[in-house]
Amino acid sequence: MILPLIEKYRAQTLNDIRGQDLAKQDVNVFYTMFPKKKALVLHGPTGTGKTSIAIAFAREHNLELFELNASDLRNKKSLDEVLRPSIEQHSLFKKGKLILMDEADGITATDRGGLAELLSLIDKTSYPIIITTNDIWHKKFSLLRKKCHLVAIKELRDHEIISIMEEVVIKEHTHVKKETLQIIAHHARGDVRAALNDLQSVIHIGENDFISEFSERE
């Protein structure tokens, strides 16, 4: 099984995260000030590094990372069984814990139980929570916005995405024309995940076939 480039080269530290300097500072401030605010929301377009920031932050601060998703919030009994021991027990090998509620957009507007559980979790937690979402300004998140520190994650610029891809190309011991990287970056529209997925296609099928396939896709 071929490991996707986005996973193979996921940022290991915050310094590896490109184009999000202000956001990285905000995450550090949130952690320092905890529990003044118990939860932080990283919000912005798909593929801009929201999850990677949370994972890199936990690794950099030697924190045990406990990941949740929207489906976990729909079953209160299951959530209690899984989460309660995690938030009540100290980590044996790490300095502390960080709870990651990834892709909160998956909580539907009618999923009141899920949102209620998330809000309750924020009230009860002894550990900082990072929530990722594409659109925090949806009306369903009105109460969540009041409880959380909001941090905007922006789309990356073309030259930042090209720089990331150039490093990956070197690590993969291959060669891809600068023109091809420019085409990928332009059409990714700030989405690093999309760019690396296209780069993986280039490496797998070759530039000529990719350009041909890309033209058909367009």
Side-chain angles (χ1 to χ4, degrees):
M1 180 178 176
I2 299 175
L3 188 66
L5 295 178
I6 191 69
E7 293 297 335
K8 189 174 181 180
Y9 297 109
R10 185 182 288 278
Q12 298 297 302
T13 69
L14 288 180
N15 282 336
D16 296 331
I17 304 287
R18 305 293 180 81
Q20 309 293 354
D21 290 347
L22 289 177
K24 291 187 289 186
Q25 290 176 22
D26 280 346
V27 175
N28 278 312
V29 170
F30 159 75
Y31 184 66
T32 302
M33 299 295 288
F34 179 85
K36 186 174 182 180
K37 284 279 189 181
K38 291 189 170 185
L40 172 146
V41 175
L42 297 173
H43 64 96
T46 299
T48 48
K50 299 185 294 292
T51 303
S52 291
I53 287 174
I55 294 173
F57 184 85
R59 182 179 288 114
E60 199 167 281
H61 288 78
N62 193 31
L63 303 174
E64 181 181 333
L65 186 66
F66 189 88
E67 296 185 53
L68 295 170
N69 58 48
S71 62
D72 292 317
L73 296 172
R74 296 190 185 111
N75 186 330
K76 186 178 189 304
K77 182 174 183 293
S78 175
L79 182 66
D80 280 346
E81 289 174 352
V82 173
L83 186 61
R84 189 176 299 280
S86 178
I87 64 174
E88 290 180 353
Q89 296 172 6
H90 291 291
S91 177
L92 293 177
F93 305 106
K94 301 285 187 177
K95 194 169 71 173
K97 294 187 182 182
L98 178 69
I99 298 170
L100 171 60
M101 171 65 223
D102 209 9
E103 299 181 352
D105 302 271
I107 304 172
T108 64
T110 57
D111 194 5
R112 297 189 182 279
L115 272 174
E117 283 305 311
L118 180 54
L119 294 169
S120 174
L121 171 61
I122 293 171
D123 286 335
K124 295 185 295 187
T125 185
S126 302
Y127 300 100
I129 300 173
I130 291 182
I131 301 163
T132 71
T133 178
N134 295 340
D135 181 17
I136 190 58
W137 304 110
H138 192 287
K139 61 182 180 181
K140 68 182 178 182
F141 288 138
S142 58
L143 291 177
L144 185 64
R145 288 195 298 270
K146 294 176 182 177
K147 284 183 175 288
C148 300
H149 179 64
L150 307 182
V151 175
I153 305 298
K154 62 183 181 179
E155 291 181 351
L156 273 72
R157 291 170 289 186
D158 284 6
H159 72 87
E160 291 168 329
I161 292 180
I162 290 171
S163 176
I164 291 170
M165 289 191 292
E166 285 175 336
E167 289 187 10
V168 170
V169 167
I170 291 171
K171 291 174 181 176
E172 287 291 298
H173 306 290
T174 187
H175 175 76
V176 178
K177 294 176 184 175
K178 185 68 172 273
E179 293 82 358
T180 302
L181 297 181
Q182 289 170 336
I183 291 171
I184 293 173
H186 177 70
H187 288 276
R189 297 178 181 176
D191 185 338
V192 179
R193 184 183 304 155
L196 288 180
N197 286 340
D198 277 341
L199 178 61
Q200 189 143 24
S201 294
V202 170
I203 294 171
H204 181 62
I205 66 176
E207 289 187 68
N208 291 335
D209 286 346
F210 172 79
I211 295 298
S212 175
E213 182 183 291
F214 194 83
S215 298
E216 291 178 11
R217 191 198 313 173
E218 287 297 294

